[in-house]
Amino acid sequence: MKTQVAIIGAGPAGLLLGHLLRAAGVACVILERQSRAYVEARIRAGVLERTTTDLLHRLGIDARLNAEGLPHHGFGLVDGERTVRIDVAALTGHAVTVYGQTEVTRDLIAAAPERGLDIIWEAGDVALHDVDSSAPFLTWADGQRLDTDFIAGCDGFHGPSRAALPAAVQKSFECVYPFGWLGILADVPPCDDELIYANHDNGFALASMRSPTRSRYYIQVPDGERMDNWPDDRLWDELALRLGPAGARIVRGPALEKSIAPLRSFVCEPMQHGRLFLAGDCAHVVPPTGAKGLNLAASDVAYLSAALIGFYHDGDEALLHGYSARAAARVWKAERFSWQLTKLMHRFPEDGRFERRMQLAELDYIAGSVAAQTAIAENYVGLPL
Ligand code: APR
Ligand code: PHB
């Protein structure tokens, strides 16, 4: 088999890249390790920046997004009994859209056949070869082979693409947080019209939603926490406690899904080596505070698709050479924002009374400063491409 761009991974990065390339007539194939059913069932975050929704509109894969996406004009930062509302729309002129990553993924997969985007599901043991030659190729399963001009590594944090960068050229930067998020999804109305990020003596909590009838909540739990320590009743009690005034309005219901995810900040540079280009979680991870993960995957592939299309349409290699620097510049700013919001809103086991006062002073400053609120709002809504 031969193609122009071989994409590893059918998460948001790989699927969006595939559609952007197909829309410009570039041939590509996606190899995905998991089954379609598995990928479609994965529960992830749910806040889309305008940069991300713009891509979906441009592709015309937006019917369900337009019908079901919820525009959100602000969100709350709660500390104990105090709430500071960040009026994103008034401060930036833009809104974000609450629409689950799971739904984005389903829409992109459903639109693939009619647009000639081939996805090979359950492709085991994908291996990258000769990435720094002009004729790279992939192999998988029992001796299947795909020859290609370029490889796009969109295979998430644990995929094989990042490891194909020689150790001598790869620099990585990492911060692992000493806690995780325990999430619950339930078919109950949200406790508030807007998202609420809360810092409480017992730790962080987030009230989010997928629709007017489906809620998504999270609490900070210690590293290595076991799910059996959190029967539904205990989790609902804890959410009610940590979420401040909105906690009293929580409607409880059976869990559709419950899971614990670790928090990590990670960046690998460069995001390119030879004919291999990295995009999304395989090159960088953010903690979910601020919901930047999917949106960064989308901005990476906006840059990468433009670079590849420039190469095929005009023979111009400049954007390809500049990809890593351009993408990483935006990534680092989102890393900074996610890290800072994580530091502001969580209880760190190593922190003492001084660090706690710093959190309170920062929140107090944000409450009284339009400049500080604007800085948060413009990052939350998404920095321009
Ligand atoms: N071969 C083929 N596919 C692979 C392999 C492999 N060896 N390893 C991983 N994959 C697939 C995974 O099964 C997954 O479907 O790559 C895909 C990567 O998708 P994501 O992890 O969703 O990463 P990305 O597309 O970069 O999207 C980033 O998704 O995970 C969230 O928090 C993350 O919101 C962020 C966004
Ligand atoms: C979610 O709805 O899953 C969500 C929302 C906002 C975040 C993280 C996760 O910052």
Side-chain angles (χ1 to χ4, degrees):
M1 260 209 284
K2 172 137 186 64
T3 193
Q4 289 176 309
V5 181
I7 300 172
I8 310 175
L15 289 166
L16 267 174
L17 178 64
H19 276 292
L20 290 165
L21 293 176
R22 290 305 301 130
V26 176
C28 57
V29 176
I30 302 180
L31 294 184
E32 166 59 51
R33 183 167 64 112
Q34 304 287 359
S35 68
R36 175 174 176 171
Y38 180 94
V39 169
E40 289 190 331
R42 231 166 13 199
I43 306 293
R44 296 273 173 82
V47 179
L48 307 184
E49 293 177 356
R50 198 171 50 115
T51 44
T52 305
T53 47
D54 280 352
L55 285 181
L56 294 166
H57 293 315
R58 205 168 97 201
L59 287 167
I61 306 179
D62 58 357
R64 244 173 20 110
L65 172 70
N66 293 338
E68 297 171 25
L70 306 173
H72 274 223
H73 296 120
F75 63 93
L77 295 176
V78 166
D79 196 307
E81 291 305 304
R82 174 171 204 170
T83 302
V84 179
R85 178 166 184 265
I86 307 295
D87 191 334
V88 173
L91 293 161
T92 68
H94 302 296
V96 293
T97 305
V98 168
Y99 188 69
Q101 177 172 322
T102 309
E103 310 311 317
V104 173
T105 306
R106 285 185 189 161
D107 295 347
L108 292 170
I109 292 171
E114 74 216 30
R115 292 159 185 244
L117 174 59
D118 291 328
I119 308 172
I120 300 175
W121 301 103
E122 298 180 68
D125 300 322
V126 171
L128 300 84
H129 305 272
D130 296 351
V131 297
D132 45 13
S133 79
S134 56
F137 63 99
L138 298 178
T139 55
W140 72 98
D142 300 317
Q144 308 240 53
R145 172 172 170 145
L146 177 61
D147 289 285
T148 185
D149 297 337
F150 298 98
I151 297 173
C154 300
D155 45 7
F157 186 67
H158 300 287
S161 293
R162 191 175 62 251
L165 255 68
V169 305
Q170 187 182 145
K171 281 202 218 73
S172 59
F173 307 83
E174 186 169 43
C175 167
V176 177
Y177 302 87
F179 43 75
W181 277 18
L182 192 172
I184 181 170
L185 185 71
D187 272 335
V188 290
C191 67
D192 199 277
D193 294 342
E194 297 189 338
L195 269 61
I196 295 171
Y197 295 80
N199 185 344
H200 182 272
D201 282 342
N202 288 5
F204 171 82
L206 168 62
S208 180
M209 67 191 74
R210 293 288 176 274
S211 75
T213 57
R214 181 168 287 188
S215 301
R216 178 71 166 163
Y217 292 100
Y218 299 91
I219 57 164
Q220 171 186 350
V221 292
D223 241 356
E225 181 68 305
R226 291 160 36 131
M227 193 59 100
D228 5 330
N229 285 339
W230 290 96
D232 289 5
D233 282 342
R234 178 177 176 210
L235 179 51
W236 290 119
D237 287 345
E238 194 63 24
L239 283 162
L241 185 68
R242 294 190 193 184
L243 281 166
R249 299 192 298 268
I250 288 179
V251 182
R252 301 177 182 213
L256 300 172
E257 192 257 7
K258 253 163 91 182
S259 55
I260 298 180
L263 265 68
R264 179 196 309 271
S265 297
F266 174 85
V267 180
C268 161
E269 284 182 317
M271 290 170 63
Q272 175 254 337
H273 179 72
R275 293 288 184 112
L276 168 65
F277 292 80
L278 307 181
D281 269 24
C282 99
H284 44 75
V285 176
V286 286
T289 334
K292 291 292 161 221
L294 163 64
N295 296 299
L296 279 183
S299 60
D300 284 354
V301 301
Y303 295 135
L304 182 54
S305 59
L308 290 164
I309 292 164
F311 174 80
Y312 284 110
H313 287 189
D314 311 317
D316 180 1
E317 294 192 25
L319 287 176
L320 283 174
H321 292 308
Y323 167 70
S324 178
R326 254 180 115 194
R330 192 172 190 278
V331 165
W332 276 114
K333 291 183 201 113
E335 290 282 348
R336 185 203 67 83
F337 176 65
S338 309
W339 167 81
Q340 198 175 47
L341 199 57
T342 302
K343 300 278 276 182
L344 176 65
M345 300 309 295
H346 291 73
R347 296 300 169 103
F348 287 70
E350 69 270 25
D351 280 359
R353 285 163 11 127
F354 178 81
E355 287 79 8
R356 177 65 190 135
R357 283 303 178 96
M358 288 295 97
Q359 286 185 337
L360 289 171
E362 189 172 339
L363 195 78
D364 204 29
Y365 170 60
I366 293 166
S369 163
V370 174
Q373 291 173 21
T374 306
I376 292 174
E378 70 182 6
N379 280 280
Y380 197 78
V381 83
L383 298 175
L385 281 183

